[in-house]
Amino acid sequence: MKKTVTLLLVLLMVLPLFAGGRTEQKAESQKIIIFQSKVEITDELENAAKDFTAETGIQVEIWETTGDDYRSQLRLKLAGDEVPALFSVSKGSEADMFKAYLADIGSGKVQQYVADSMALEIDGKRVGVPYSVEGFGLVTNDALVKESDLATQDAFFAAIKNLSAQGINPLGLSQESYFLIGHILNTPFAIMDDPEAFRASYVKGGVRLADQKEFQAFATLMELVRQYSLNPMEINYDRSSGDFATGKTAMIHQGNWVSGMFTDYAPKFSMSLCALPLLGNQKIAVSVPYYWVVNSQVSASQQAAAMRFLDWLYTSEKGMDYIVSKFGFVPATSNISTASLDPLSADVAQAAGAGKTLPWTFNDWPMNIIDTDFAPITQRFFTTPSMTGLEFVNLLDTAYQSRL
C-alpha cells in the first residue's frame, strides 16, 4: 500500500513537469503572420522578425504584396484558412470597411507614446498603431534642380522644359496607381483654401473640378509631363527610382519611403523632398499612411503575440533602431529619436514640425477609386496625345461623381 501511495505521489509530482514542458513548447512554437505592402522594407522587416523570434520564441511569417494589390489581397487573406494576425489599414473609409477585424489594442505598451492626433480610434477604442509619418512631393536632384526652379509655378513649368532640352527626364511618374495619379492628384484638392469645405460642397454636386484654378494648374502640369517626360506607362517603380538615383531623371513625384530604393545605387548627389509648386504651393503632403492593426478574428493568444511584436518594434531599443535606421521611417510615436533620419525623411520631419504640410485628401475619396477609376483614365491620357488636360480632369470628375 505504501509503495502504491508513494508511486502515486511521484506521478503527481512528475506529471505537471511534463505538462509544463508541453505548455512551454507550445509557447515557443507559436506563430503569427504579418501581411504588409511596403516592399521598400521587405528585407529589414524579415530581419526584425528574426530578432523578435530570437528574443521571444514567437515565430513570425511575413506575407507581402505591392500597394496597388494590397486591399484586394487582404480581403482574400482574411477569408482564407490561414489568416494574418497583423495587417494594415489607412484611416477613414478603409478602416471602416475592415472594422469587424480590428481588435481593441488600447492596452498596448506603445499606445502611451501615440498622441491623440495620431491615433486610430473606432467607437472610442484605439485599434491601430501608426506605422510612421510619411510625406510626398517632388524628390529632387539638388545638382539639377535649384530652389529657384520651385519658387513659383511658372519657374517650375519652365524648369521642366529646360531640363528636357538638356536631355534629362525632368519629372518622373511611374505606372503604379498611386505613383501615376493617386498622390499627385492629391495636390489640387489639398491646396484649396479650405479642403474640407470644398469636399463637402463637391460631394453635394454642382461643382466642377475643371472650373477651379487648382485643377486648371494641374491640367497644365499633366500636359507638360506627357509632352516633356518619359511615358510613365513604360516605367515601373524600380526603374523610376533607379533613373533618379543615377541622374537620368531630375525629379520624381515620390515620398520619403523611396530612400530605401537608392541604397544599391549610392547616389553621388544630395537630394531633397520639396513641395509640388502648383499655384506657388510650398507645402508637402504629410500624414500617417497606415496603421498596424491586430486581427480580432484570430485566437486570443495570437492577438497577444501580435501586440507583443508591435510593442517590441516600437518600444525596445532594437526595434526602435529598425524603425529609424533600417526602415527609414519618420516615427509617429513620441519615444523614438529622429536624429538619424535619411535626408528625405528629415525633410518630412522638418515640414511637420514647422506646420508646412498638406492633408492627404485621398483618404476621403470613394473606396478604391484610384485603382478602379482614376488609374485607367490616366493611362488613357498618357496614351492619347489629343486629349487635353482639362478633358482629362473632366473624366476624373465624372468618375468621382459617379461613385457618390
Side-chain angles (χ1 to χ4, degrees):
M1 180 69 179
K2 288 183 178 179
K3 289 183 179 180
T4 302
V5 172
T6 301
L7 179 60
L8 287 172
L9 289 173
V10 170
L11 287 172
L12 289 172
M13 294 172 65
V14 171
L15 284 173
L17 295 178
F18 282 106
R22 285 196 299 271
T23 302
E24 183 179 347
Q25 184 178 15
K26 183 178 180 181
E28 290 178 352
S29 63
Q30 187 175 13
K31 182 184 79 170
I32 59 171
I33 296 170
I34 297 175
F35 185 42
Q36 72 99 21
S37 64
K38 294 192 72 63
V39 295
E40 302 88 353
I41 64 167
T42 295
D43 294 339
E44 292 80 4
L45 184 59
E46 289 279 3
N47 290 334
K50 290 175 184 176
D51 284 343
F52 173 74
T53 299
E55 291 186 24
T56 65
I58 299 172
Q59 301 295 317
V60 179
E61 182 178 339
I62 297 175
W63 297 347
E64 66 176 22
T65 188
T66 59
D68 287 350
D69 296 330
Y70 186 74
R71 305 308 154 207
S72 58
Q73 286 295 315
L74 178 57
R75 291 191 188 90
L76 295 175
K77 301 294 186 188
L78 291 174
D81 294 329
E82 193 173 27
V83 299
L86 269 176
F87 59 96
S88 62
V89 296
S90 58
K91 198 175 221 178
S93 59
E94 187 170 272
D96 292 337
M97 172 176 287
F98 292 102
K99 176 180 175 180
Y101 293 93
L102 308 187
D104 180 355
I105 56 174
S107 61
K109 181 180 177 181
V110 65
Q111 293 291 353
Q112 64 185 301
Y113 305 113
V114 179
D116 290 343
S117 61
M118 293 286 184
L120 175 61
E121 294 187 355
I122 292 183
D123 297 334
K125 299 175 182 178
R126 287 199 173 191
V127 296
V129 173
Y131 256 63
S132 62
V133 174
E134 288 185 347
F136 61 82
L138 293 176
V139 177
T140 63
N141 179 331
D142 294 341
L144 298 174
V145 181
K146 307 304 180 186
E147 286 187 21
S148 58
D149 292 327
L150 304 177
T152 67
Q153 177 175 287
D154 288 345
F156 174 49
F157 289 173
I160 290 175
K161 298 174 184 178
N162 293 336
L163 287 163
S164 178
Q166 298 172 45
I168 300 168
N169 185 35
L171 175 54
L173 304 177
S174 64
Q175 61 194 218
E176 296 81 8
S177 298
Y178 276 79
F179 301 159
L180 178 67
I181 185 62
H183 287 160
I184 200 166
L185 184 60
N186 181 74
T187 298
F189 280 99
I191 61 175
M192 292 284 175
D193 291 336
D194 187 337
E196 281 295 321
F198 175 76
R199 189 177 74 88
S201 62
Y202 179 63
V203 298
K204 289 180 181 178
V207 176
R208 298 297 297 177
L209 297 182
D211 293 335
Q212 315 305 314
K213 63 182 184 299
E214 294 82 1
F215 285 90
Q216 293 166 2
F218 174 76
T220 301
L221 169 62
M222 295 303 280
E223 288 179 349
L224 290 173
V225 171
R226 185 177 60 188
Q227 181 176 355
Y228 293 101
S229 295
L230 297 179
N231 187 344
M233 302 316 304
E234 300 173 359
I235 299 175
N236 62 18
Y237 180 37
D238 287 347
R239 180 182 166 187
S240 175
S241 304
D243 283 355
F244 176 79
T246 54
K248 297 176 183 176
T249 298
M251 299 175 279
I252 52 177
H253 194 271
Q254 271 294 344
N256 61 295
W257 56 79
V258 78
S259 288
M261 302 294 286
F262 303 145
T263 303
D264 293 339
Y265 296 96
K268 296 179 174 58
F269 55 86
S270 62
M271 63 185 72
S272 302
L273 182 52
C274 305
L276 182 68
L278 290 185
L279 301 183
N281 168 58
Q282 295 299 310
K283 298 178 180 180
I284 61 176
V286 176
S287 186
V288 174
Y290 304 114
Y291 290 81
W292 289 113
V293 294
V294 174
N295 187 351
S296 62
Q297 306 302 311
V298 300
S299 67
S301 63
Q302 279 194 305
Q303 291 183 45
M307 193 63 242
R308 189 174 176 185
F309 176 79
L310 290 179
D311 283 340
W312 177 88
L313 187 60
Y314 285 90
T315 66
S316 74
E317 289 299 322
K318 187 168 285 187
M320 290 189 294
D321 182 62
Y322 270 104
I323 292 293
V324 177
S325 302
K326 307 297 194 306
F327 297 173
F329 283 178
V330 179
T333 56
S334 62
N335 60 316
I336 304 178
S337 170
T338 60
S340 58
L341 294 175
D342 65 81
L344 301 184
S345 296
D347 285 342
V348 171
Q350 182 179 14
K356 293 183 177 181
T357 62
L358 297 176
W360 288 14
T361 64
F362 50 77
N363 286 334
D364 295 316
W365 298 352
M367 192 67 186
N368 293 328
I369 194 171
I370 295 172
D371 292 328
T372 60
D373 297 78
F374 290 169
I377 291 170
T378 310
Q379 291 165 7
R380 285 176 55 194
F381 173 74
F382 279 110
T383 55
T384 310
S386 61
M387 184 186 296
T388 68
L390 286 178
E391 288 172 341
F392 170 51
V393 168
N394 279 328
L395 289 175
L396 297 174
D397 191 352
T398 299
Y400 196 124
Q401 289 294 326
S402 71
R403 297 286 299 277
L404 296 177

